[in-house]
Amino acid sequence: MDRTEPQLLCSVDGGVATVVISHPAKRNAMTAAMWRSLPELLERLAADPVVRVLVLTGAGDTFCAGADISTLRESAGEAQALAVAAEEALAAFPRPTLAAVRGFCVGGGSQLAAACDLRFAQEGALFGVTPAKLGIVYASSSTRRLVSLVGPATAKHLLFSGELIDTERALRTGLVDEVLPDGGGLDGRVAAYAGVLASRSQLTQASAKEFAAGRRDRDAYWTGEARSSGDTAEGVAAFLERREPKFTYTTGSTGPTG
């Protein structure tokens, strides 16, 4: 495999799937083919019961510098539709998702990071939402997701100006959840935290993910899942026996929808 070609790389280890955005020539900018391939890749990973957590990151020292602008010359509308479809597929992934960000996280990169459940960043990373620099109407779903993360004022600042913000401001406004020091702290923290997530109950995680996304019609469904899953009994037994629980509930490939 030629790793200089624009592509999404994927590996699974210890229940953690790591998807790497790789386009070294253009700071990991997403091509149309990469946007198209992401939903398909996520569908395969969601169908794999071994996968309990998804980590999205970028190759080298950059997360993703956005969409490959050369693709916008043909059809900006089509390119945006591909980006939104990939973003929605990531948001709907049925298990916890974590963006590990270093360097530039701009435009489409910010869309993907925002679609993850959590975002950890290395000190010095820069974030920007840049449609105003290109005269593009940012999708309503993407705008709502951004507002839910950072609030309307910061969302407007990012959208109106297209200016980049640093990790300090990103942390303060809720765009990122943790900032790790430069020099290797990010990889270690992400690996450790992903391991924690992989050891927890998917029943709890999947229901929480749905409810946090605003789903209000699935209480009875999740009550039934809890009764039949065995996770609650295992969790209580493990606590009383002072051992690590072995949860067995696995979400289906359809995943939650908000």
Side-chain angles (χ1 to χ4, degrees):
M1 180 181 293
D2 185 354
R3 290 180 177 258
T4 64
E5 290 296 313
Q7 61 193 304
L8 299 175
L9 305 173
C10 181
S11 61
V12 179
D13 182 29
V16 180
T18 302
V19 175
V20 180
I21 304 167
S22 180
H23 189 181
K26 294 191 176 182
R27 289 182 175 175
N28 299 333
M30 294 282 289
T31 64
M34 293 167 75
W35 286 121
R36 289 191 187 97
S37 67
L38 184 57
E40 298 171 2
L41 174 59
L42 293 173
E43 185 175 3
R44 292 198 300 272
L45 293 173
D48 185 349
V50 171
V51 174
R52 303 183 68 87
V53 182
L54 175 74
V55 174
L56 179 68
T57 192
D61 59 1
T62 294
F63 181 75
C64 175
D68 187 339
I69 300 300
S70 63
T71 64
L72 300 181
R73 287 184 178 274
E74 299 173 7
S75 172
E78 181 182 355
Q80 186 184 44
L82 290 173
V84 171
E87 176 191 359
E88 292 302 315
L90 183 56
F93 192 76
R95 288 150 213 162
T97 55
L98 171 63
V101 179
R102 55 173 56 83
F104 288 98
C105 179
V106 180
S110 286
Q111 273 184 270
L112 292 175
C116 291
D117 296 311
L118 298 164
R119 288 148 296 281
F120 290 2
Q122 180 174 284
E123 207 167 44
L126 293 170
F127 299 82
V129 185
T130 54
K133 291 184 175 182
L134 298 168
I136 293 172
V137 175
Y138 207 52
S140 60
S141 58
S142 304
T143 301
R144 288 193 298 271
R145 182 167 289 117
L146 182 63
V147 170
S148 73
L149 281 177
V150 302
T154 298
K156 289 175 183 177
H157 164 69
L158 293 168
L159 284 164
F160 290 177
S161 69
E163 289 185 352
L164 304 185
I165 63 172
D166 60 16
T167 49
E168 180 183 357
R169 184 165 184 177
L171 181 64
R172 188 172 70 249
T173 57
L175 187 57
V176 300
D177 300 285
E178 289 191 22
V179 174
L180 287 305
D182 195 358
L186 179 64
D187 292 338
R189 173 57 175 151
V190 168
Y193 189 73
V196 169
L197 295 183
S199 73
R200 303 305 195 221
S201 168
Q202 280 194 32
L203 173 73
T204 302
Q205 293 168 343
S207 57
K209 188 162 180 168
E210 279 202 5
F211 295 154
R215 191 79 182 252
R216 298 183 179 182
D217 60 345
R218 297 259 282 181
D219 295 75
Y221 170 82
W222 285 112
T223 297
E225 292 291 279
R227 287 173 180 163
S228 62
S229 71
D231 268 19
T232 303
E234 167 62 12
V236 172
F239 179 81
L240 294 175
E241 296 165 14
R242 297 183 179 182
R243 60 173 174 82
E244 289 297 317
K246 296 180 179 179
F247 296 116
T248 57
Y249 181 88
T250 302
T251 55
S253 60
T254 53
T257 55

